[in-house]
Amino acid sequence: MKNRKINIFAALTLGLIITFAGCKKDDGSIRSSVVIMSVPVVSTKIDATGSQAIDLLNLAGFSGKFKVDLYFPGATPPDKVDIVVRKNGSNTNVKVVKKDVTTLPFSFTVTSADIAAIFGVAVALGDTYDFAPDLYVGVNKYEAFPVTGTGNGAGVIAYPLYSDYARFAAICAYDPAIYEGDFLVVSDAFGDFSPGEVVKFTKISNNSFSFIDPYVTSPLPIIVTINTLNNQATIAKQKIGNAFVWASYTNPNVAVAASSTSVVAPCSKTITLAIAYTVDQGSFGTYNLVLKKK
């Protein structure tokens, strides 16, 4: 840990060089041989009134809802869409759920029984199911999950509030009774904790707990909050002590953003936290801490 480097400044320089070859004097800004096709931007979002994940301990209770709609209100819609679903992130395992939808917005509800019927096998722990539309514009079809190339939403995923698919993951529901007491460190990429070391979790509420990093002076509880709808774990940026004991870096802070990387797995009684470490002097970056109930 003593050789951990700090990234004091982070800068990204993007150079963009565009070369036009074979243009003629009268081509203008776009060559006459180029055909530009307007493809609507369609967003697919999970509806907060439905289930956010598939609880393996209550399969019958799953009711996933999502809505397919134009990202830009008033834009020209596609001629139609087919709602498709991809299993476990594989573009070779995509099934059609609903064909020939001609009116947007379109809302859809799916159950675990529906999913099992679509793929011919029961939902299993760790499965993910991504729902999205294939777009039809004139004679052209733009797939959400093509076997080769990028999907119809890949170019706009950075748009604010845009979602290219609705994902429902099969999880074991969060149990606060599991996430208290002694946990063993499986791995710590940052290097503060050692494999096999015991870390005590202290329950705060039915969706939060805390633990201490003993390798800082005047340690403060690190509060972890769990989204019980999808088992994602987050840590709001917080000071964890006055300084690391192994270096003179001051006021260490940690944070964990909401993502599919930082999660609890109640069935296996584990937790993975992608922790971003910062100090007054700069940033260390993000490192995974993995622990398992003793």
Side-chain angles (χ1 to χ4, degrees), residues 115-155:
I115 293 174
I118 290 168
F119 288 98
V121 62
V123 175
L125 180 65
D127 282 350
T128 59
Y129 299 94
D130 303 328
F131 293 83
D134 286 345
L135 311 180
Y136 294 82
V137 181
V139 297
N140 297 297
K141 177 182 179 182
Y142 302 92
E143 295 181 329
F145 309 118
V147 174
T148 59
T150 56
N152 58 47

Side-chain angles (χ1 to χ4, degrees), residues 38-42 70-72 75-79 135-137 142 152:
S38 178
V39 181
V41 179
V42 178
L70 291 169
Y71 178 79
F72 296 106
T76 301
D79 297 322
L135 311 180
Y136 294 82
V137 181
Y142 302 92
N152 58 47

Side-chain angles (χ1 to χ4, degrees), residues 213-291:
D213 184 338
Y215 301 103
V216 296
T217 59
S218 302
L220 298 170
I222 301 170
I223 300 172
V224 182
T225 301
I226 307 301
N227 182 338
T228 57
L229 297 176
N230 59 18
N231 281 358
Q232 289 184 1
T234 58
I235 297 176
K237 186 176 180 180
Q238 57 193 267
K239 180 179 175 179
I240 63 172
N242 290 334
F244 284 111
V245 298
W246 41 265
S248 58
Y249 302 128
T250 54
N251 292 320
N253 280 256
V254 297
V256 172
S259 73
S260 58
T261 302
S262 298
V263 293
V264 293
C267 285
S268 59
K269 300 181 180 181
T270 61
I271 180 171
T272 300
L273 295 170
I275 304 177
Y277 295 86
T278 58
V279 288
D280 287 339
Q281 293 76 18
S283 169
F284 290 102
T286 301
Y287 300 87
N288 281 1
L289 172 64
V290 182
L291 304 105

Side-chain angles (χ1 to χ4, degrees), residues 67-125:
K67 183 170 74 172
V68 180
D69 198 5
L70 291 169
Y71 178 79
F72 296 106
T76 301
D79 297 322
K80 67 174 183 177
V81 305
D82 290 343
I83 308 300
V84 299
V85 57
R86 172 181 65 179
K87 182 177 180 179
N88 294 338
S90 172
N91 285 18
T92 61
N93 195 5
V94 179
K95 307 291 186 182
V96 176
V97 177
K98 178 74 174 178
K99 290 182 64 67
D100 299 331
V101 175
T102 57
T103 302
L104 298 178
F106 177 77
S107 296
F108 196 83
T109 300
V110 63
T111 68
S112 58
D114 294 331
I115 293 174
I118 290 168
F119 288 98
V121 62
V123 175
L125 180 65

